[in-house]
Amino acid sequence: MKNILLPTDFSDNSWKAISYALELLKDAECTFYLMHSYEPQVAAPSTAVTSKRANSIIMESMKNEAISELNRLKKQIDALPKNENHTFKTSIINDYFTSAVKAKVKEHSIDAVILGTKGASGLKEVTLGSNTAGLIGKLTCPIIAVPSNVVFNDINEIGFAVDYSINSYTNGLSLLKALAEHFEAQVSVVHILKDKALTPEKASSKEKLIAFLKPVPTHFYQLTDVSVAKGTRIFSESRQLDMMCVIAKKHNFFEKLFNKSQSKSISHHAKVPLIIFNEASF
């Protein structure tokens, strides 16, 4: 049984991500958790009483709208051809997006979070796109970010961008291997090479990756003189990959302040579904 979290802001992009998830996992026994979160309203100190009353009305209205939209979404799913492998549960949470997702991942032992890379606009706006990037590196489970223009097709080739800094791949990459085996897909590993050759440590990491991915057909590639984000994008587009995988790496405090992580930069330009693994899960 797989537990999959599907955050939604009820946008078209969100629906496309849900549709992709249902097709991707159509042969798997899954419980899908449809979740919508809306942020708490904070009253100004100078108008605490008035603001508290106004906020209470606003929050109740937001909750009722979310209930109505979630019921509509469930009916939309029910109208699809029935899949006996799939079970659906819904929830509405009055909390900030990242906190709500983290809580659900922990509560239901979520195996993957699948969501769109862009959100709704207007009254329903939850900026799902920026929230997708905000989840990177903060969850113990993988994230699958689905671009709005993607329609599910059979998975033939999955890309995987690596820097060979991981000592053990066994637990963290289980989703990649499971998808590759299920769809009988090839895994194409790309390394953006900064030095002339791999260090002994990186060579050892590569051998461990080879051992872990067996018997999945795996091919290895190297790119030079290009940034990780650009190189990964070029590789994905040139090979017309069906999915791309990256590992969200930890950065120190100053790097977080002044630089975008490579995985966030890649996610903003992805044209195929992007699986984002957290380094902490390895």
Side-chain angles (χ1 to χ4, degrees):
M1 171 71 72
K2 293 185 180 297
N3 296 320
I4 307 298
L5 182 63
L6 302 174
T8 178
D9 62 357
F10 310 120
S11 65
D12 289 340
N13 290 315
S14 178
W15 169 249
K16 289 178 180 178
I18 292 171
S19 299
Y20 184 90
L22 301 186
E23 283 294 322
L24 178 70
L25 299 168
K26 64 182 179 182
D27 297 323
E29 188 176 350
C30 297
T31 297
F32 291 101
Y33 293 88
L34 300 164
M35 184 207 80
H36 176 74
S37 66
Y38 59 102
E39 296 187 357
Q41 301 292 306
V42 180
S46 60
T47 58
V49 176
T50 303
S51 295
K52 185 176 181 180
R53 292 173 179 170
N55 286 344
S56 178
I57 295 173
I58 293 171
M59 298 303 289
E60 187 65 23
S61 175
M62 292 175 68
K63 180 180 179 181
N64 289 336
E65 181 182 7
I67 291 172
S68 176
E69 289 290 341
L70 206 53
N71 288 335
R72 180 189 61 79
L73 177 60
K74 186 60 170 59
K75 289 180 181 179
Q76 194 172 356
I77 292 173
D78 290 340
L80 298 174
K82 187 173 180 59
N83 187 331
E84 297 294 342
N85 289 326
H86 294 171
T87 301
F88 297 90
K89 297 184 179 182
T90 61
S91 63
I92 297 171
I93 303 176
N94 178 209
D95 197 357
Y96 297 100
F97 181 79
T98 300
S99 298
V101 171
K102 289 174 69 175
K104 281 295 177 182
V105 167
K106 183 177 181 180
E107 178 184 356
H108 299 296
S109 299
I110 295 297
D111 296 297
V113 177
I114 304 178
L115 71 175
T117 56
K118 294 181 181 179
S121 59
L123 294 176
K124 298 178 184 178
E125 184 173 11
V126 187
T127 57
L128 200 55
S130 61
N131 280 331
T132 303
L135 290 175
I136 295 174
K138 297 179 181 178
L139 302 179
T140 55
C141 66
I143 301 166
I144 302 181
V146 183
S148 58
N149 61 336
V150 169
V151 176
F152 179 83
N153 291 305
D154 198 24
I155 306 296
N156 296 305
E157 185 174 359
I158 304 172
F160 181 29
V162 299
D163 63 3
Y164 297 128
S165 64
I166 304 298
N167 292 320
S168 175
Y169 294 92
T170 305
N171 295 321
L173 287 183
S174 57
L175 175 61
L176 168 58
K177 187 171 183 179
L179 288 173
E181 290 182 328
H182 177 74
F183 289 102
E184 299 181 348
Q186 169 184 310
V187 173
S188 296
V189 180
V190 59
H191 174 58
I192 311 299
L193 192 64
K194 296 180 180 179
D195 303 313
K196 292 183 179 180
L198 294 179
T199 64
E201 292 79 13
K202 289 188 175 182
S204 174
S205 176
K206 180 179 179 179
E207 290 302 318
K208 290 177 181 178
L209 178 59
I210 293 172
F212 169 73
L213 287 174
K214 287 182 178 180
V216 173
T218 307
H219 298 274
F220 291 81
Y221 303 86
Q222 292 182 348
L223 297 179
T224 58
D225 301 321
V226 67
S227 69
V228 173
K230 184 177 181 180
T232 303
R233 188 169 71 253
I234 291 172
F235 183 77
S236 174
E237 292 175 0
S238 65
R239 295 197 60 81
Q240 297 183 322
L241 299 176
D242 299 298
M243 302 186 86
M244 189 71 199
C245 302
V246 295
I247 298 175
K249 307 301 293 296
K250 292 181 180 178
H251 296 282
N252 65 38
F253 178 73
F254 292 103
E255 287 175 325
K256 286 183 178 179
L257 280 179
F258 298 113
N259 294 310
K260 290 181 178 179
S261 72
Q262 298 290 0
S263 52
K264 288 184 181 180
S265 179
I266 293 168
S267 71
H268 290 159
H269 298 94
K271 294 184 179 180
V272 297
L274 184 68
I275 304 180
I276 306 165
F277 298 99
N278 186 351
E279 183 185 25
S281 64
F282 288 83

